Amino acid sequence: MTKQTGIVILAAGNSSRLGFPKQLLEFEGESLLKRISKEALAIPHANVAVVIGAYPDPINAALKESNVHVVINPHWATGMSTSIVFGLSDLLKYQPNLDRCIISLCDQPFVDRHVFQQLIHLADRTEKGIVATGFSGIWGAPVLFDRKYFEQLMELEGQQGARKVAEQFPEDRVIVNHEAAKYDIDTQEDYFNLPHQFISVQQAKDIIHHYLPAPKQLRLVLEDALGYTLAQTVIAEQSIPGFPQSSMDGYAIRFCDKDEELSVVDRIPAGTTVEKKMKPGQAMRIYTGAPLPRGADTVVMQEKIDLSEGNVIRIQDKALRLGDNVRLQGSEVMAGTIAMLPGTTLTPAAIGYLAGIGCTDILVTAPPRIQLILTGDELKAIGTTLGYGEVYESNSYQLKAALRQLGILHVESQHVVDDKDQLKVALENALTESDIVLLVGGVSVGDYDYVVDVAKACGIKQRFHRIRQKPGKPLFFGTQQEKLIFGLPGNPSSALTCFYLYVAPALERIMQLPERKRSIQTHTTHAYSKKPGLTHFLKARYDGHAVEPLHAQESYRLQSFAQANCLLILEEDSNGCAAGDEVFIHLLT
């Protein structure tokens, strides 16, 4: 006779360390709670109770189309024990003759129906009363309990969980090994550490951002620093200007003498190195940039005076004010004060300013060392004759050009045929010599797509493999310590799309380049239809008023990409757009 099985899913906590309900956190396209509920309901003849507490309204709404029993635990804050009691009580209300119960959590993304089935099968085969899940040398949830332990479960108090009961009966306990059960989610770090597979566009961006390494620094001579980001606070060693100077050609005077006839007693050109002194009733001819003589405090424009015989001037400027046309000492920057802050982009003007205060070399944010590995037997170098089934290798040209636009001028690249051993050697060497590796091609799931397996063999931790988007669905992202590894699709259009969407923003942050507003809202000139399920990125042209989707949207075609200046974004749940609809675009330049 088939035993009656119930499953209690504990989902009442407030996710305090995460900061928002982890029950609703998305994993592989659906919330954790919806996923585990669906897996539990897949067990034949099982009744499933989900115990909620801290967020009853949004969680209830998420389960409204599910066949689970939703049980609200008003005492969730007192500890997990109350949720176990509420869940088991609910099951017994509907199945008084329940033979066993599985206690499960909602935050173990790799616990599924197969784990539940293994617990049930092992309980039947061994006739043990407690079957726990083992991982990483320990055991824990989910745990199956025979009916004979229901009384002990109902007597749990406070923070005591089902483990309290299971620990008391080791002779009646057996373990099902499921290593992936070690993954649970209490913090954002836990979530990003999951080996994700098929994720959304936003999740991919968030995961990449989470793993960006701290910026590195590089000291450069000033003339080589164009386009970099300053990584130090620059303190002026001297005041600029270092002396009061004239801002135009004219006459240096004392303002209090402006209504008198003044004798011009000297001439001061720019570059004068001897300080001049001026007495009352005197003026001195002065030129732009020249040091003001001691005693003078104002400069009169040469067009605003009358010059008479005997080199005497009379001022004809009724609007003249004290200090006019004088650059005060330190008016640009005072000695000992901040001249430039970290994060400043080193434009030609910034470099000129730093040169003006005497800088010879500066500390900048270093560009990462990047290596390209192009994979595929079919790839041939341009300039050679193509054979049947062969294509010219173009990805290295477009990706290097895109990297140069970001200020990364030196990029190593190599072509590797479809051979696991050769690819492994190339990747291991690239990891020792670079900060970021861009693998191009071989990233899907075909018989000759070796990138993911080889990356894992090299000790790279997969962070995600595929994205719910078109083009560029097969996109691998992994890390090895602080090194980033991107596996881009081989189709040139897909590779460039993924570069612009994910690699370029990561590089801009690593290099601390100024943040650019890439996403803007506009209207589309033409309709475009799609099925829900994937975010579409269309090659498009934006004229400042509206966006036009271009022809040739296939992932292998670059002709339209060569005319595009943006990507038109159609979200994954949309059916496309009509002409005149508001849409978002991602600017490429």
Side-chain angles (χ1 to χ4, degrees), residues 197-199 443-445 464-476 487-489 494-495 497-498 502 533-535 537 555:
Q197 292 291 337
F198 204 22
I199 63 175
V443 74
S444 191
V445 291
F464 62 77
H465 182 190
R466 296 181 300 154
I467 304 178
R468 296 195 297 274
Q469 69 177 32
K470 182 181 180 181
K473 182 166 62 174
L475 175 64
F476 175 85
L488 306 179
S494 298
T497 298
C498 289
Y502 304 105
L534 300 177
T535 297
F537 294 98
S555 62

Side-chain angles (χ1 to χ4, degrees), residues 291-492:
L292 209 65
R294 184 183 296 181
D297 55 22
T298 303
V299 173
V300 184
M301 295 174 61
Q302 61 186 14
E303 297 86 354
K304 300 286 187 178
I305 61 98
D306 284 336
L307 179 63
S308 60
E309 293 182 5
N311 220 14
V312 173
I313 63 170
R314 193 161 189 92
I315 297 168
Q316 303 297 324
D317 187 357
K318 294 182 179 180
L320 188 67
R321 297 290 182 267
L322 175 65
D324 276 359
N325 307 316
V326 175
R327 301 167 183 162
L328 296 177
Q329 182 177 3
S331 56
E332 174 81 322
V333 63
M334 292 293 294
T337 64
I338 295 175
M340 192 174 284
L341 290 169
T344 303
T345 302
L346 294 169
T347 61
I351 287 176
Y353 171 58
L354 291 173
I357 64 172
C359 283
T360 57
D361 56 79
I362 50 173
L363 206 61
V364 300
T365 301
R369 299 170 300 161
I370 295 179
Q371 287 212 23
L372 285 174
I373 299 178
L374 298 308
T375 68
D377 291 345
E378 73 281 11
L379 302 180
K380 296 299 175 184
I382 59 174
T384 62
T385 301
L386 291 179
Y388 180 75
E390 296 177 341
V391 298
Y392 287 126
E393 189 282 298
S394 61
N395 273 312
S396 66
Y397 292 89
Q398 64 176 1
L399 293 175
K400 284 183 178 180
L403 289 166
R404 281 196 295 272
Q405 285 185 325
L406 294 173
I408 301 174
L409 307 180
H410 307 292
V411 179
E412 298 290 333
S413 66
Q414 61 176 310
H415 171 223
V416 180
V417 297
D418 291 323
D419 179 88
K420 277 189 175 182
D421 293 334
Q422 292 188 45
L423 180 58
K424 187 171 186 290
V425 171
L427 181 53
E428 287 174 339
N429 290 338
L431 288 169
T432 63
E433 299 171 2
S434 61
D435 304 304
I436 296 176
V437 180
L438 303 182
L439 294 133
V440 186
V443 74
S444 191
V445 291
D447 291 342
Y448 297 96
D449 293 319
Y450 300 139
V451 163
V452 176
D453 289 341
V454 170
K456 292 177 180 178
C458 291
I460 294 167
K461 291 184 179 180
Q462 175 182 316
R463 302 306 177 184
F464 62 77
H465 182 190
R466 296 181 300 154
I467 304 178
R468 296 195 297 274
Q469 69 177 32
K470 182 181 180 181
K473 182 166 62 174
L475 175 64
F476 175 85
F477 174 67
T479 62
Q480 188 190 78
Q481 297 176 343
E482 289 194 340
K483 297 179 186 291
L484 307 182
I485 298 87
F486 292 88
L488 306 179
N491 278 331

Side-chain angles (χ1 to χ4, degrees), residues 206-223:
D206 291 342
I207 291 170
I208 293 170
H209 184 264
H210 178 77
Y211 285 102
L212 295 183
K216 297 180 180 178
Q217 297 178 346
L218 174 70
R219 186 163 293 280
L220 295 175
V221 294
L222 189 60
E223 54 262 39

